[in-house]
Amino acid sequence: MSRLAASVVIPTRGGAARLPVLLATLAAQETDDFEVVPVVDGDIDGSEEVLRSWADRLNLKPVIFPENRGRAAALNAGAAAAAGRIIIRCDDDLEPRSDFIAGHVARHSTQRCGVVGLTTNALPDTAYARAYGRKANARAIAGALALPAKRTWRLWSANVSVPAAVHSRLGGYDGRYRRYGWEDVDFGYRLHRAGFPIVVAPELIAVHHGASTTTAVRAVRALHSGAARETFLALHGQAALREFDGARSARKPGLWDRSGLWDRVVTTSSTFTTERTLRAYGAAADSAASWLPAALAEKLIALAVESAGIAGVRYPRRARGMF
């Protein structure tokens, strides 16, 4: 029997409510030359039972962890179980198009590369979304599409694909990343360093239903992402971080002590930032954003997000949760 064209690896934790949306779109794909490898990273909400209910509609190959091991471990277990020529990573909160799998496979037909499909956030109509979330999403997509080829590795994330042989050659994702994010950036960097081009495929963009919906959630994620950055720095050094940041300098003493008033406010705020203060401030900012002028509401939310990111870099132990 010929090898399947693709394996869709889905890392999931607490995804029982999210998985049906994704699985329905996978069941409606234009091709059936693929398998689905969901990896339940410790079942806390009946996700395994949800997967069982889809067994007659998809070629499912579930992997169930008895406890939380982290996203890197889940992605690696999915890749190890995969039989497809191309491994497509698809996070459990995405809603891809009907040509999602065929499109990823087609991108690999002409060159040996990594493919980034990007995501666009589906946000409810809230004060947070109106003041900050939608604008941030638009800026992120525009920035991604404008990146030069040598820096597209930094986009490696929730909707990506790579030949199985290349994934194996790189050794998969690094399990030392247990805070929010950067295990994917690390993989993209190593792919880039190994000489494989990373192609952005805007036609494969998928709707992202798991985006931050409040200031507190967005800021806490920024705190954890800033903390996870420390692992990347420890593994790859300042030069890699400068390459990630582009024109900005990598983290070093004095990085955030810039001359602008906004930067000074953000830097000062970061010294007091913890998960607890972010949740309290976030709730207040969302409440105020419903009646403040749009520009001021955006600044209030941006203060929380930017301060949290800096606090994660400077005080990584303040990011207390694990992912």
Side-chain angles (χ1 to χ4, degrees), residues 12-14 38-48 62-70 73-74 77 178:
T12 182
R13 179 168 172 81
V39 184
V40 179
D41 188 16
D43 193 353
I44 57 176
D45 62 351
S47 292
E48 184 176 2
V63 177
I64 313 297
F65 287 173
E67 71 287 313
N68 175 230
R69 298 178 186 172
R178 286 301 309 272

Side-chain angles (χ1 to χ4, degrees), residues 150-155 177 182 185-193 228-251:
K150 66 181 181 180
R151 294 188 62 225
T152 51
W153 59 268
R154 73 194 300 277
L155 302 174
Y177 291 89
W182 285 80
V185 173
D186 177 279
F187 187 94
Y189 179 70
R190 288 186 287 120
L191 190 62
H192 163 71
R193 294 290 294 175
R229 177 186 172 109
E230 289 296 283
T231 303
F232 184 85
L233 175 62
L235 292 174
H236 301 294
Q238 292 281 0
L241 208 49
R242 282 193 293 272
E243 193 175 348
F244 175 88
D245 288 333
R248 280 172 41 193
S249 299
R251 176 182 179 263

Side-chain angles (χ1 to χ4, degrees), residues 120-319:
T120 184
N121 295 333
L123 292 169
D125 188 25
T126 62
Y128 165 82
R130 292 190 296 271
Y132 185 87
R134 290 172 183 157
K135 296 174 186 176
N137 180 59
R139 286 194 297 267
I141 293 172
L145 294 175
L147 275 178
K150 66 181 181 180
R151 294 188 62 225
T152 51
W153 59 268
R154 73 194 300 277
L155 302 174
W156 200 263
S157 187
N159 171 12
V160 292
S161 61
V162 68
V166 174
H167 188 284
S168 177
R169 172 177 165 180
L170 291 182
Y173 290 80
D174 194 321
R176 285 172 287 190
Y177 291 89
R178 286 301 309 272
R179 292 188 172 96
Y180 180 79
W182 285 80
E183 82 288 334
D184 36 25
V185 173
D186 177 279
F187 187 94
Y189 179 70
R190 288 186 287 120
L191 190 62
H192 163 71
R193 294 290 294 175
F196 295 99
I198 297 175
V199 177
V200 177
E203 77 278 7
L204 298 178
I205 195 166
V207 175
H208 178 214
H209 290 286
S212 302
T213 57
T214 69
T215 298
V217 171
R218 177 67 183 85
V220 169
R221 288 183 179 183
L223 176 70
H224 280 264
S225 180
R229 177 186 172 109
E230 289 296 283
T231 303
F232 184 85
L233 175 62
L235 292 174
H236 301 294
Q238 292 281 0
L241 208 49
R242 282 193 293 272
E243 193 175 348
F244 175 88
D245 288 333
R248 280 172 41 193
S249 299
R251 176 182 179 263
K252 55 187 176 181
L255 168 63
W256 304 108
D257 301 324
R258 296 170 290 182
S259 58
L261 175 60
W262 173 253
D263 293 319
R264 291 200 298 272
V265 171
V266 170
T267 300
T268 301
S269 177
S270 73
T271 63
F272 306 104
T273 296
T274 65
E275 290 186 6
R276 182 177 178 181
T277 63
L278 288 173
R279 292 189 178 100
Y281 177 93
D286 286 350
S287 178
S290 63
W291 55 268
L292 283 173
L296 182 54
E298 183 178 9
K299 278 294 187 184
L300 274 179
I301 296 171
L303 177 60
V305 175
E306 294 184 28
S307 297
I310 296 172
V313 170
R314 285 186 152 188
Y315 317 107
R317 292 187 181 180
R318 292 184 184 177

Side-chain angles (χ1 to χ4, degrees), residues 65-87:
F65 287 173
E67 71 287 313
N68 175 230
R69 298 178 186 172
R71 194 176 333 181
L75 288 165
N76 289 338
R85 297 189 303 274
I86 304 299
I87 294 177

Side-chain angles (χ1 to χ4, degrees), residues 110-121:
T110 57
Q111 66 179 136
R112 203 168 173 83
C113 62
V115 175
V116 174
L118 301 178
T119 63
T120 184
N121 295 333

